[in-house]
Amino acid sequence: MDERKAIILGTGPAGLTAAIYAARANLNPLIIEGNEPGGQLTLTTEIENFPGFPEGIMGPELMDNMRKQAERFGAEFFFGAVTSVDLSKRPFRITVNESDEFLGRSLIISTGASAKMLGIPGEAEALGHGVSTCATCDGFFFRDKKIVVVGGGDSAMEEALFLTKFASEVTIVHRRDTLRASKVMQDRAHDNPKIKWVMNHTPVAIKSEDHHVIGLEVRNNENGHTQLLEAEGVFIAIGHQPNTAFLSGQVQTDKVGYIVTIPQNTATSVEGVFACGDVMDSRYRQAITAAGTGCRAAMDLEKYLEGAFVHDWSLTNP
Ligand code: NAP
């Protein structure tokens, strides 16, 4: 089995930026694409805040450009999801799709984060049949229909605004009476006449008939009354879970599962393993910040392979 100098897990903006930098450093990195090649940006529409694109750029196009840029400098891609890793020995052993194995002298983890689900009755069976976590992917199917969006953060505002292009009416359901979303996103949603609000209500169940969603049952947090919000589509936009289960505890994470890195760089608790993007950043979670950490991770990895990287884990608890 070949031993690669550098293996990168994930192809969102963090992984692809790391790939561009590692490839330009002649490290011929192997990139494991993951379940969602291109990451979360392939599930979005226009990106207006990625510097260098004054008119905006579509998410999938941006990711495709990054991938081509990495390939141009010699990055190799392997389609599949990492199922396990063995970081206890050198070289590191990476298992993809349960069966394909790769050895790497160094590793960058940029596996991102996945959409959280409500975990209420009716949700799992209706996923793909009226329940969705991606307005960009599924909004089209709800032309002139009523839609409910669950969540009070920026994602919920963004999804709701996007869905107004298709739906007859979009109702945002939030479990508190104040939103978590940024002011600008709140204002945009409030200014949109197609958006209705059901605040301070907790989702209880998703109701379906004949495999079609008919609405979301919610409970009023003040008086406990329940009601059915009629809708043919329910979009869940309540945040994300970092994709770190495959590490089975071999790299230190916080209690949610986000990888802990040394604050001054991208090193993890395992020497030679670096992390970047949403898998280690629960705070900024932007394409540009993910790309920035991807650049840092590749530069750290290059130094590590030269024997010039100082792994000072004590800096995580100064
Ligand atoms: P978030 O900020 O964590 O918001 C999640 C929302 O879902 C919160 O309002 C939360 O309620 C609610 N929620 C969580 N679990 C729930 C449950 N089980 N039942 C009902 N509601 C639940 O996540 P996000 O909106 O995905 O945003 C993540 C980050 O990405 C943020 O930093 C955001 O600014 C950024 N982002 C930015 C943009 C943009 O600028 N265009 C777009 C998308 C995301 P509580 O408020 O009660 O906790």
Side-chain angles (χ1 to χ4, degrees):
M1 200 185 313
D2 277 2
E3 181 182 320
R4 312 293 298 223
K5 284 190 208 140
I7 296 181
I8 297 172
L9 310 181
T11 46
L16 289 177
T17 304
I20 292 167
Y21 273 75
R24 282 193 84 246
N26 279 336
L27 298 176
N28 184 224
L30 175 70
I31 319 336
I32 310 298
E33 296 202 35
N35 277 331
E36 273 175 20
Q40 292 181 68
L41 286 193
T42 56
L43 308 179
T44 192
T45 46
E46 196 168 358
I47 299 166
E48 293 175 335
N49 52 9
F50 199 90
F53 299 94
E55 306 303 327
I57 182 165
M58 300 304 279
E61 189 186 351
L62 179 63
M63 301 322 296
D64 198 41
N65 287 348
M66 286 191 194
R67 183 190 168 113
K68 285 184 185 138
Q69 200 172 347
E71 279 173 334
R72 181 179 150 210
F73 296 110
E76 278 176 49
F77 289 81
F78 185 85
F79 181 74
V82 178
T83 39
S84 64
V85 292
D86 182 357
L87 307 179
S88 64
K89 302 189 279 288
R90 312 303 161 104
F92 303 127
R93 187 176 289 264
I94 314 298
T95 307
V96 179
N97 301 336
E98 309 276 2
S99 55
D100 296 299
E101 295 208 315
F102 300 94
L103 297 176
R105 280 170 58 197
S106 64
L107 181 67
I108 290 178
I109 303 171
S110 41
T111 43
S114 299
K116 281 191 202 162
M117 302 305 290
L118 291 166
I120 56 175
E123 180 187 49
E125 45 280 39
L127 195 58
H129 302 279
V131 170
S132 170
T133 59
C134 175
T136 314
C137 319
D138 301 325
F140 183 80
F141 301 116
F142 297 93
R143 197 172 285 279
D144 299 323
K145 304 210 155 84
K146 285 186 179 175
I147 290 178
V148 166
V149 173
V150 181
D154 280 330
S155 296
M157 303 304 115
E158 197 171 67
E159 299 273 276
L161 283 161
F162 178 75
L163 289 166
T164 59
K165 294 182 190 171
F166 305 99
S168 56
E169 182 182 291
V170 177
T171 303
I172 296 179
V173 175
H174 182 39
R175 63 182 176 183
R176 291 185 297 127
D177 53 13
T178 51
L179 295 167
R180 182 179 293 277
S182 57
K183 175 87 172 55
V184 59
M185 296 299 282
Q186 287 193 33
D187 288 350
R188 278 190 201 172
H190 275 121
D191 288 348
N192 191 309
K194 271 195 179 175
I195 295 181
K196 310 272 179 286
W197 301 86
V198 175
M199 302 292 283
N200 209 12
H201 278 66
T202 302
V204 181
I206 286 166
K207 300 288 184 189
S208 295
E209 274 175 9
D210 298 328
H211 304 292
H212 291 289
V213 165
I214 57 161
L216 175 71
E217 190 176 301
V218 292
R219 188 180 52 241
N220 185 319
N221 293 339
E222 272 175 21
N223 58 25
H225 292 162
T226 58
Q227 61 171 309
L228 181 70
L229 302 174
E230 285 181 15
E232 289 180 52
V234 177
F235 284 74
I236 317 289
I238 60 168
H240 292 82
Q241 181 69 33
N243 296 319
T244 48
F246 68 92
L247 293 170
S248 24
Q250 294 172 78
V251 172
Q252 191 169 319
T253 60
D254 67 12
K255 57 182 187 315
V256 180
Y258 286 94
I259 294 176
V260 177
T261 53
I262 296 175
Q264 287 82 344
N265 52 60
T266 60
T268 69
S269 57
V270 179
E271 278 190 55
V273 177
F274 302 87
C276 53
D278 285 8
V279 77
M280 48 72 80
D281 173 21
S282 59
R283 179 171 177 163
Y284 297 103
R285 305 173 50 98
Q286 300 299 298
I288 188 65
T289 53
T293 56
C295 162
R296 294 172 70 207
M299 292 177 77
D300 290 342
L301 171 142
E302 194 182 344
K303 281 259 176 304
Y304 169 79
L305 291 172
E306 288 165 2
F309 186 83
V310 180
H311 185 271
D312 187 354
W313 188 247
S314 69
L315 291 171
T316 52
N317 298 302

